[in-house]
Amino acid sequence: MFNIHSLNCPRTFSEAISRFRANLAYFRMNYAIIVLLILFLSLLWHPISLVVLIIMMALWLFLYFLRDEPLAIFNRTIDDRVVLVVLGVLTFVFLLLTDATSNILVSVMIGAVVVLVHASLRRTDDLYDEESTGLVSGPSSSS
């Protein structure tokens, strides 16, 4: 993610969009951490908002970052992208209820700009896909 040699300007707008989509899918967890860190830093002088954010970060840890298996509710598997969007919206809404609206909006916009710039400038030709190289194996059936 932080390889400086992998950053360069895309030649066309369609190449930038293609990079953005590929990098957003590949670095989605890293981008969530970066946005949450920027949000945390912006709320250091708002203790109630910070408490709400810490509670929501605990939910992020258990429901998104530290899970090894897909989330299942009522025997239905929930996709990681759905968990990401729902946690993001809930975090945003709960923080807006703490009257730190300007800090939250500015920090989310800064985080979005950081993600947009990185995802557009980062080349995708050297991304490592464990599944296509065979390092991650699915469940084996040895019956």
Side-chain angles (χ1 to χ4, degrees):
M1 182 166 180
F2 296 112
N3 185 358
I4 194 76
H5 301 294
S6 294
L7 298 176
N8 67 358
C9 290
R11 291 190 173 103
T12 63
F13 183 71
S14 62
E15 182 183 358
I17 296 295
S18 173
R19 285 184 183 188
F20 178 77
R21 286 183 179 158
N23 286 327
L24 195 61
Y26 191 80
F27 294 116
R28 126 177 109 218
M29 191 174 294
N30 297 33
Y31 291 151
I33 291 170
I34 288 170
V35 171
L36 287 171
L37 180 67
I38 292 170
L39 188 58
F40 175 79
L41 293 174
S42 75
L43 295 176
L44 284 176
W45 291 270
H46 296 277
I48 293 173
S49 299
L50 200 55
V51 168
V52 170
L53 181 65
I54 289 171
I55 291 169
M56 290 306 298
M57 285 182 125
L59 287 174
W60 276 89
L61 279 173
F62 291 117
L63 295 177
Y64 189 72
F65 295 121
L66 298 180
R67 271 187 310 113
D68 291 334
E69 300 165 359
L71 183 64
I73 299 175
F74 299 118
N75 293 327
R76 297 190 74 177
T77 303
I78 309 297
D79 187 42
D80 275 348
R81 289 173 281 189
V82 173
V83 175
L84 178 71
V85 169
V86 169
L87 282 173
V89 168
L90 286 176
T91 302
F92 190 72
V93 168
F94 287 148
L95 285 174
L96 287 179
L97 295 175
T98 64
D99 292 329
T101 306
S102 62
N103 282 29
I104 295 163
L105 292 176
V106 169
S107 64
V108 168
M109 283 191 260
I110 290 171
V113 168
V114 168
V115 168
L116 178 69
V117 168
H118 182 272
S120 299
L121 294 180
R122 174 82 166 65
R123 288 191 328 239
T124 58
D125 56 349
D126 63 342
L127 295 180
Y128 183 70
D129 185 12
E130 292 176 345
E131 290 178 3
S132 67
T133 58
L135 292 178
V136 174
S137 59
S140 61
S141 59
S142 57
S143 47

